[in-house]
Amino acid sequence: MMTLFVKLFIKNKNEVSNPNVKKAYAALSSVVGILLNLFLCIAKITVGFFSNSVAISADGFNNLADAGTSLVSFLGFKIAGYGGGNTHLFGHGRIEWIMSIFTSIAVLLMGIKLAGDSAASIASPDSPVFSMSALAVLLVSILVKGYMFCYNKRFSKITGSETLKATAADCMSDSLATAAVLISTTVSYITHLEIDGYCGVLVSAFIIFAGIKSLWEVLGRIMGQSADQEMAEGVLQIAESYPEIIDVHDLMFHDYGFGYFVISMHAEGYRKHSQQLYIAANQIAYDLKQKFHCDSFIQVDYVLENKTLKDSLMKQIYTVLNEFSDEIEISNFRLIESGPYINVVFDMVYPAKLQKSEEDICNGIKREIESENSKYRTVIKGIIRRERLHLHR
């Protein structure tokens, strides 16, 4: 069905790197999600009412919440589709992330309320009435939610949308939760055990978990995440295809939502190739625009190759580092020409326990290096090394 809708409603459907195509996929997913969730909501609440099943009714209200989530997501996608202007130069794509926060909170609140209703059902249980209609609606729900999981998962990969990714996870949770309701209804009918309320709590737990997971993922996106490895490799492949560029550092992806981002990097080469380097930088920017539909900022750095000087400076730096800890490492060390100055650039990787000492360490290195020669300038990027917890017996 979704394949047919894609053919009917999405122009240039194969140009998945185009932000407009991404938005069309996201909007289509939301509209179909609204319709399918409303269908399941009406069916479950009706069957739950006549079969006296709190769990089935709770599952129906969960579908109503999902329909509301899809509606809010759809509105967010539409707002995100507006381009940049004088006020918001990079467009409105991040509005989708904000919408995702509200929808995640709404899912959490719905789960908490349903948990309370289910707890009340445990305290005062009513035996659900088993019927073929209840069995049928639950089986249909499992199949529909499984189908929704598949197309939302597929579309989330196409669009890079956190909302659709969270929706896919929610659909899987719903499918498993509905399976639990089906089991409770069947077991109650066969054994006469009052487990309906307990399964309602289980359904609520799935809803709460899905809400927390969705909220965590979108907050991670807002805080800033590492670039997709495949995309980063694609960018580096383009940059390093130009022989004048000997290395690339500080590659960053500035994500503004819905496939629009700005790439920045330092492209390094030798001063004797300065003209070729600037031509290459302009060509790389054009290549990135064509392939990823993004803007880019490329700074050209002139590398100074002097092994004797590098070794001498490294020795001085480690002398300072060892005063603080022997757990600090240096990476990406290079010397960059900057007019009359030489920039001593490197990454300093240190354990989390030294975070408060980072400024003191950097100042110590700066004094050691720059006091020797006023033309030296230190550019240090501190990186905290996160240690994994290992349990030993």
Side-chain angles (χ1 to χ4, degrees):
M1 181 177 70
M2 290 301 291
T3 302
L4 176 61
F5 287 162
V6 167
K7 290 181 179 179
L8 291 176
F9 299 112
I10 300 180
K11 297 180 180 179
N12 305 318
K13 61 185 178 66
N14 294 324
E15 297 181 11
V16 294
S17 62
N18 189 324
N20 292 326
V21 175
K22 292 178 184 288
K23 294 167 188 173
Y25 272 104
L28 176 61
S29 178
S30 295
V31 171
V32 174
I34 292 170
L35 297 176
L36 290 178
N37 277 307
L38 286 177
F39 163 73
L40 292 176
C41 171
I42 294 171
K44 288 181 184 178
I45 291 178
T46 302
V47 171
F49 176 77
F50 287 107
S51 64
N52 196 32
S53 172
V54 174
I56 294 178
S57 297
D59 212 19
F61 281 109
N62 177 37
N63 292 130
L64 181 60
D66 289 342
T69 298
S70 294
L71 176 61
V72 174
S73 298
F74 176 75
L75 295 176
F77 292 146
K78 285 297 182 182
I79 296 173
Y82 291 114
N86 294 330
T87 305
H88 302 100
L89 300 178
F90 299 103
H92 300 78
R94 286 180 174 174
I95 194 70
E96 184 229 345
W97 305 351
I98 299 173
M99 291 294 186
S100 296
I101 293 176
F102 290 117
T103 53
S104 298
I105 293 174
V107 171
L108 274 173
L109 294 176
M110 178 63 71
I112 292 171
K113 175 157 189 323
L114 293 180
D117 293 342
S118 298
S121 177
I122 294 173
S124 303
D126 289 323
S127 299
V129 179
F130 182 83
S131 66
M132 292 304 297
S133 60
L135 180 65
V137 76
L138 292 176
L139 286 173
V140 169
S141 177
I142 292 171
L143 293 175
V144 170
K145 280 295 183 176
Y147 176 70
M148 292 175 68
F149 165 79
C150 291
Y151 78 72
N152 275 293
K153 189 72 173 177
R154 175 189 165 203
F155 286 4
S156 71
K157 291 181 179 179
I158 293 173
T159 62
S161 169
E162 289 296 333
T163 300
L164 294 185
K165 188 187 297 183
T167 301
D170 184 53
C171 290
M172 178 55 69
S173 297
D174 287 346
S175 185
L176 295 174
T178 303
V181 174
L182 177 61
I183 292 171
S184 77
T185 304
T186 305
V187 170
S188 295
Y189 175 72
I190 296 174
T191 66
H192 303 291
L193 295 175
E194 305 290 352
I195 65 170
D196 186 53
Y198 295 98
C199 286
V201 171
L202 183 61
V203 172
S204 301
F206 277 116
I207 298 171
I208 292 171
F209 174 77
I212 293 174
K213 186 173 184 294
S214 174
L215 184 60
W216 182 259
E217 288 182 353
V218 71
L219 289 177
R221 187 83 176 266
I222 291 173
M223 290 170 63
Q225 295 177 330
S226 299
D228 177 75
Q229 188 63 31
E230 184 178 349
M231 181 177 292
E233 289 176 357
V235 173
L236 290 175
Q237 186 177 9
I238 291 174
E240 293 172 354
S241 66
Y242 293 87
E244 301 84 4
I245 296 176
I246 61 174
D247 209 348
V248 173
H249 284 100
D250 298 329
L251 175 62
M252 297 183 185
F253 292 79
H254 310 274
D255 190 355
Y256 293 96
F258 259 128
Y260 176 68
F261 52 92
V262 176
I263 295 175
S264 63
M265 70 178 81
H266 287 231
E268 298 176 358
Y270 300 117
R271 181 178 289 277
K272 62 183 179 180
H273 299 143
S274 60
Q275 185 175 357
Q276 296 95 319
L277 282 169
Y278 279 102
I279 293 174
N282 287 325
Q283 187 60 42
I284 291 169
Y286 176 80
D287 293 343
L288 294 176
K289 185 72 171 180
Q290 295 303 306
K291 184 172 183 177
F292 298 111
H293 300 274
C294 67
D295 294 319
S296 57
F297 171 78
I298 303 172
Q299 178 174 318
V300 174
D301 289 338
Y302 300 132
V303 177
L304 179 63
E305 283 295 338
N306 187 326
K307 187 177 185 306
T308 302
L309 178 59
K310 288 175 69 173
D311 291 343
S312 173
L313 291 172
M314 284 283 286
K315 184 177 180 180
Q316 289 179 265
I317 292 170
Y318 271 109
T319 299
V320 176
L321 295 181
N322 290 333
E323 295 177 3
F324 291 88
S325 172
D326 58 359
E327 299 180 74
I328 308 174
E329 300 174 357
I330 297 299
S331 63
N332 295 325
F333 186 89
R334 57 220 189 259
L335 303 178
I336 304 297
E337 295 184 49
S338 180
Y341 300 99
I342 296 177
N343 290 344
V344 182
V345 185
F346 59 90
D347 298 338
M348 181 179 70
V349 185
Y350 60 88
K353 63 183 180 181
L354 294 176
Q355 185 173 6
K356 292 183 179 180
S357 302
E358 179 182 338
E359 185 175 356
D360 293 334
I361 298 172
C362 292
N363 288 335
I365 294 172
K366 182 178 180 179
R367 285 192 299 269
E368 177 70 21
I369 299 298
E370 297 182 7
S371 62
E372 178 183 330
N373 189 329
S374 61
K375 292 186 177 181
Y376 292 157
R377 299 191 301 189
T378 55
V379 181
I380 307 171
K381 180 180 180 182
I383 301 175
I384 300 174
R385 182 173 59 244
R386 299 296 182 185
E387 305 290 352
R388 292 186 179 274
L389 178 63
H390 297 281
L391 300 179
H392 301 281
R393 294 183 179 180

